[in-house]
Amino acid sequence: MNFIEVKNVSKTFKVSRRRAGVIGAAANFFVPKYEKKEAVKNISFNIEKGEAVGFIGPNGAGKSTTVKMLSGILHPNSGEINVGGYIPYKQRKAYVGKIGVVFGQKSQLQWDLPVIDSFELLKAIYSVPDDVYRKNLDRFTEMLDMGGFIGQPVRQLSLGQRMRADIVAALLHSPEIVFFDEPTIGVDVVGKETIRTFIRELNEQDNVTMIFTTHDMRDIEKTCRRLIIINEGEKIYDGALSGLREMYGTTRRLDVAFSEKVDLPSFENVIAEDLENNKIRFTFDNAKVQINELMNRILSEYNVRDINISEPDIETIIQNIYTKKGAKI
C-alpha cells in the first residue's frame, strides 16, 4: 500500500515584476505588476512505506517546493497529497508529530545550550514518553558516536558533530517519515560515511520512509534505491538508480596501453583518442558496440600491456540529463 500519494499536483507563485529605473520603481510601488511562476507542474508519484527515495533536480527545478508541500508548509494550487492518511497542509498540527526534518544549512538545536538540553526540550515539545525517549537517545547516540560531545554547547561543535546531533533531534519522537535536505553538506569524508551508514541502517531496521534532496549523488547512491528527478517543475525520471544507468549511462570508455606505439586504430562507431605512453582511449555507446567484440579485436591484432574499462558515474549522467531541457525520461 502506498504511504505517500501525490496526484496531479501543481503550485504557482505570484512574483513581483520590477520595472527599470527610478520612475519604474515608483510606478511599481503604487501600481505593482505581477507575473505567475509555475514552480511545480502536474506532478504525480507514489512512495511505499519504508522506501528511501532521492528527490533531486537543478536549482529552481521545483524540488524544494514539492518537499514543502509534502511537509505541509505549502499547499498546492491543484491536485492531491496524502501522507500516511494525512493531508499535510490541512492537518498540519497532527501531521508534524509524524514527520522529521533535517536541514543541512539550518539547525533546530539551541546554539548556546548543550546538545542534551536541546534534546530534552524537543522531548517536551513532542510529548515523547520517557521510555521511548531514553531508548532512542541511547541507541542513536551510540550509532552516531555522540557520547563525547552530547554535553557540549552546540556552538562548540564541528559541522559534522552538529549534523549528527541535528539528525538525532529529528528522530527522537520516532517519526514515520523523514525529509533530509543536504544532510552531509560541508561534512568531512569520515563524517559523511558515518551519517550515510546510520541513515541506511535506520531505514532498514525501523522501516522509516525517507526522502532526500541533495546535490551530493554519493548520498543518494549510499542510501537510496529509487530516484525521482524533477526539472523545470516537471517529473522527468522516476525509477531505480540502476535503471537510470542502463537508460542514460550507455557511454563506455576503454583505455588500452599497448606494448609499442601503434597507429590510431579505426573501428566502426568508436572514437579513438591518442594518449601519452602508447595509450589509446576508445569511447563508444555500448548500445551500438559490443565491448567483448571490441576487446577481442584489439587483443587479437595488437600486443597489449594493460586494459581498463570505465563507465560514467551517476553525477555525470544526472548532469547530462539536466542539460537536456524538457526531455522526458
Side-chain angles (χ1 to χ4, degrees):
M1 182 178 177
N2 294 320
F3 182 65
I4 299 175
E5 296 180 345
V6 175
K7 185 177 180 181
N8 302 324
V9 167
S10 296
K11 179 64 179 177
T12 302
F13 294 100
K14 188 169 70 170
V15 181
S16 175
R17 190 176 67 190
R18 294 187 175 276
R19 284 164 281 193
V22 176
I23 295 176
N28 202 70
F29 179 79
F30 290 104
V31 186
K33 288 196 173 185
Y34 299 93
E35 60 184 14
K36 289 185 177 180
K37 175 178 173 53
E38 197 171 12
V40 176
K41 305 173 185 177
N42 201 40
I43 283 180
S44 297
F45 58 84
N46 297 320
I47 296 175
E48 294 183 5
K49 176 70 175 172
E51 271 197 283
V53 180
F55 191 76
I56 68 170
N59 292 332
K63 61 183 185 298
S64 295
T65 299
T66 304
V67 169
K68 286 177 180 178
M69 289 190 286
L70 285 170
S71 59
I73 297 172
L74 296 176
H75 64 84
N77 293 109
S78 61
E80 301 174 5
I81 298 176
N82 189 299
V83 182
Y86 293 90
I87 300 174
Y89 53 95
K90 288 185 178 180
Q91 300 166 284
R92 179 153 175 75
K93 188 174 181 179
Y95 177 64
V96 292
K98 304 293 182 181
I99 69 173
V101 181
V102 178
F103 291 108
Q105 300 185 50
K106 297 179 182 178
S107 178
Q108 58 182 316
L109 304 171
Q110 302 300 309
W111 187 247
D112 290 312
L113 295 180
V115 173
I116 188 63
D117 286 3
S118 288
F119 290 169
E120 293 285 350
L121 181 60
L122 290 166
K123 172 183 179 291
I125 291 173
Y126 285 101
S127 301
V128 183
D130 290 340
D131 59 334
V132 174
Y133 172 75
R134 179 50 55 185
K135 178 183 176 182
N136 286 342
L137 179 63
D138 292 346
R139 180 185 173 205
F140 298 155
T141 299
E142 180 180 357
M143 291 175 72
L144 285 169
D145 192 22
M146 291 173 47
F149 61 84
I150 196 170
Q152 290 182 226
V154 174
R155 56 184 167 77
Q156 294 180 0
L157 303 184
S158 69
L159 182 56
Q161 290 172 331
R162 184 183 65 75
M163 279 308 310
R164 280 181 275 168
D166 263 313
I167 290 171
V168 172
L171 296 170
L172 284 171
H173 60 293
S174 301
E176 295 182 47
I177 177 172
V178 182
F179 299 95
F180 291 96
D181 183 13
E182 303 285 1
T184 66
I185 188 168
V187 180
D188 62 41
V189 174
V190 175
K192 283 177 183 283
E193 196 56 38
T194 299
I195 290 171
R196 291 164 179 162
T197 300
F198 171 78
I199 290 171
R200 185 170 60 248
E201 290 180 358
L202 185 72
N203 173 248
E204 293 172 353
Q205 294 173 11
D206 293 21
N207 204 36
V208 178
T209 307
M210 299 177 174
I211 296 179
F212 292 81
T213 58
T214 179
H215 289 95
D216 188 338
M217 285 307 301
R218 292 292 291 169
D219 286 350
I220 302 296
E221 289 184 279
K222 290 282 188 176
T223 56
C224 302
R225 291 188 180 137
R226 179 178 167 196
L227 186 65
I228 297 175
I229 304 176
I230 182 173
N231 196 10
E232 296 183 345
E234 298 180 279
K235 185 180 73 175
I236 60 173
Y237 180 80
D238 183 354
L241 275 169
S242 57
L244 185 71
R245 191 183 292 280
E246 289 170 7
M247 188 177 297
Y248 280 85
T250 58
T251 300
R252 296 292 182 271
R253 197 169 66 195
L254 193 66
D255 290 340
V256 182
F258 295 91
S259 300
E260 64 277 326
K261 186 168 181 60
V262 300
D263 293 331
L264 207 60
S266 178
F267 301 115
E268 187 177 1
N269 294 319
V270 177
I271 299 172
E273 178 187 358
D274 215 345
L275 305 179
E276 58 183 18
N277 298 324
N278 297 333
K279 292 182 181 179
I280 294 178
R281 173 169 294 164
F282 301 93
T283 305
F284 56 93
D285 188 331
N286 70 345
K288 298 179 180 178
V289 176
Q290 293 295 317
I291 190 167
N292 289 337
E293 293 181 6
L294 177 61
M295 289 178 62
N296 286 336
R297 285 192 60 183
I298 293 172
L299 292 170
S300 64
E301 296 177 17
Y302 301 93
N303 293 321
V304 174
R305 287 189 293 109
D306 190 24
I307 191 165
N308 181 62
I309 306 168
S310 60
E311 59 185 23
D313 57 30
I314 290 293
E315 285 193 2
T316 301
I317 296 171
I318 297 296
Q319 288 170 4
N320 290 338
I321 291 171
Y322 288 168
T323 57
K324 296 177 181 177
K325 293 188 180 296
K328 300 292 192 302
I329 304 174

